[in-house]
Amino acid sequence: MAIERIEIDLLKLPYVHFFETSFGRSYDRTFSLVKVYEGGVCGWGECVAEESPLYSGETTETAWHVMKEFLVPLVFRKGLVEPEDYAREAAVFRGNRMAKAGIELALWDLKAKKAGLPLHKLYGGVRTEIAAGVSCGIENSLPDLVARIGQYLDQGYKRIKIKIKPGWDAAACAAVRKKYPDIMLQADANGAYGLGDMETLKALDAYDLLMIEQPFAPYDLWDHAKLQREMTTPLCLDESILSFDTARAALEMGSCRVVNIKVGRVGGIVETRKIHDYCESRGVPVWCGGMLECGIGRAHNLHIATLPNFKYPNDLSASRRYYKEDVIDPFIELSGPGTIRVPDGPGIGVNPVEARIALASLRREIFK
Ligand code: OSB
Ligand code: MG
């Protein structure tokens, strides 16, 4: 059999609350959904590239271009259906990992649906619930931040991540710790610091953080290693980990003690598993990061987060944390205090709502 048809949709969904990082503030998210069809079965993927090249060099438009001109034609030309075959063939193209992952995820969903299995079974996952965390953006004021964290704790989340940047770091940690001395708390800088900020960063050791994510720029593996030697708080890399090879370099250099895995950032599930297994072999725990995905990408994340070395709480929250109207039915909800049950239906195990997708769609293209 072969893929008969591929559809790509560009969507815009408004957030329930603005999300601010060291890159800036946004009020909505633009992303694409990929559908692959074979013999009446449809597999769904999400491409997490964002509107602006801030977190990553890819954008919604570069990803669209690369999918349309290179990856979709590759799938048809080579008759690719198996995600592993696709990953191997797509590797001839450099970079553009989020574009590659969007299609690979759709092929994984298709494969699992054809087998009648939930993705976590196909992946060999070891748990039926994952630990859910919330990523809290920068707020207008410290009292706003503390109040918002209070709401998330009331909802049952057990791990809170706060975004930091120069001027919103030690004071933010101190404000949160004053009200909540014992919660699991971590900080994410999205690369906002440089070597000149060593003392500022070292001072964060005082706040008993689970980890500090990506203090320096993505390519500064060496500087992260210098910082890690001077800090007791574990460093975690996000933007720096683009592939198995960068993960290996980071661990060999001692640039971090924890790895945030995002399937989109590393180019798909095949690469995710290589990184996961390598980190496990080195005794380095990983967790699943998020890109504020809609329910489709988030369901994919839930399944991969069932692998054994996903040992820290993940940036995986309920649908309503992100969007008033997620594009799946039912929404993803907390199943217990700070946990989310992994869907058990075939494939991603959540139902995309075509009417809501059409309403949010800015553009759709069909390839045959
Ligand atoms: O650095 O982890 C990040 C969202 C967009 C881009 C980068 C990041 C994030 C998040 C959101 O922190 C995590 C989530 O999806 O819940
Ligand atoms: Mg991050």
Side-chain angles (χ1 to χ4, degrees):
M1 294 280 270
I3 301 297
E4 295 131 15
R5 169 192 171 99
I6 299 179
E7 280 178 35
I8 309 180
D9 255 284
L10 186 68
L11 272 69
K12 191 195 278 283
L13 278 185
Y15 296 139
V16 286
H17 177 68
F18 66 78
F19 190 69
E20 182 172 328
T21 68
S22 57
F23 302 130
R25 182 178 287 192
S26 36
Y27 294 87
D28 51 43
R29 175 159 171 274
T30 313
F31 62 100
S32 49
L33 291 177
V34 179
K35 285 187 268 179
V36 297
Y37 291 87
E38 185 201 29
V41 186
C42 175
W44 291 80
E46 178 169 343
C47 172
V48 297
E50 297 177 303
E51 204 164 13
S52 311
L54 294 166
Y55 170 84
S56 144
E58 290 184 83
T59 69
T60 43
E61 295 302 320
T62 69
W64 187 281
H65 164 67
V66 169
M67 287 190 280
K68 173 177 172 154
E69 304 295 341
F70 301 100
L71 300 171
V72 167
L74 179 80
V75 168
F76 288 136
R77 190 169 69 245
K78 302 238 168 183
L80 302 171
V81 182
E82 289 296 317
E84 291 96 338
D85 294 340
Y86 163 80
R88 194 183 57 249
E89 297 287 342
V92 300
F93 301 118
R94 296 244 160 92
N96 296 288
R97 294 180 175 87
M98 293 174 173
K100 288 172 179 170
I103 294 178
E104 202 199 289
L105 286 169
L107 293 172
W108 280 108
D109 182 36
L110 177 73
K111 182 182 170 101
K113 280 178 174 151
K114 287 192 297 182
L117 290 173
L119 272 168
H120 67 90
K121 288 253 165 67
L122 204 63
Y123 296 155
V126 296
R127 56 182 80 89
T128 54
E129 288 196 322
I130 62 88
V134 193
S135 175
C136 300
I138 293 164
E139 292 290 338
N140 287 326
S141 69
L142 295 175
D144 279 7
L145 175 69
V146 174
R148 190 153 289 278
I149 289 172
Q151 291 172 10
Y152 292 136
L153 294 171
D154 288 345
Q155 290 164 22
Y157 292 101
K158 294 273 181 267
R159 184 281 261 155
I160 300 292
K161 156 168 144 181
I162 61 171
K163 293 290 185 177
I164 56 170
K165 65 175 182 182
W168 183 276
D169 40 38
C173 294
V176 178
R177 273 290 178 234
K178 184 161 177 230
K179 182 85 189 271
Y180 301 110
D182 301 321
I183 58 168
M184 271 195 269
L185 180 68
Q186 64 192 66
D188 184 1
N190 288 107
Y193 296 88
L195 267 188
D197 300 308
M198 282 286 227
E199 295 312 312
T200 305
L201 291 164
K202 278 158 70 176
L204 300 181
D205 272 339
Y207 300 101
D208 188 24
L209 303 176
L210 215 48
M211 66 191 79
I212 297 173
E213 196 176 327
Q214 200 68 43
F216 298 148
Y219 300 103
D220 288 347
L221 285 183
W222 185 245
D223 291 342
H224 281 104
K226 281 188 192 162
L227 177 63
Q228 181 66 92
R229 281 197 291 273
E230 304 227 352
M231 292 194 73
T232 54
T233 308
L235 296 184
C236 169
L237 289 177
D238 173 351
E239 285 92 323
S240 292
I241 306 297
L242 296 168
S243 61
F244 168 74
D245 292 303
T246 49
R248 192 167 50 82
L251 268 47
E252 286 187 5
M253 268 187 244
S255 312
C256 64
R257 295 188 193 140
V258 182
V259 170
N260 166 331
I261 298 188
K262 290 183 186 171
V263 176
R265 189 187 64 232
V266 305
I269 294 289
V270 173
E271 196 73 11
T272 291
R273 301 191 61 140
K274 280 171 73 177
I275 296 169
H276 168 274
D277 293 355
Y278 171 72
C279 289
E280 187 172 41
S281 76
R282 304 258 324 206
V284 171
V286 308
W287 54 280
C288 184
M291 292 293 291
L292 306 163
E293 288 91 342
C294 76
I296 293 165
R298 193 148 305 276
H300 274 290
N301 289 343
L302 290 172
H303 288 280
I304 200 66
T306 63
L307 294 186
N309 196 39
F310 282 80
K311 288 201 167 138
Y312 278 101
N314 308 283
D315 273 353
L316 277 164
S317 319
S319 291
R320 282 193 186 82
R321 147 73 186 89
Y322 307 99
Y323 302 104
K324 195 153 41 168
E325 181 130 87
D326 201 345
V327 298
I328 55 166
D329 187 44
F331 290 169
I332 291 168
E333 314 256 18
L334 290 187
S335 53
T339 59
I340 298 177
R341 189 166 301 116
V342 184
D344 238 343
I348 51 177
V350 296
N351 307 308
V353 180
E354 293 278 8
R356 279 185 220 147
I357 292 171
L359 271 179
S361 177
L362 305 172
R363 187 203 299 156
R364 166 175 292 186
E365 204 161 342
I366 297 170
F367 307 94
K368 300 183 193 208

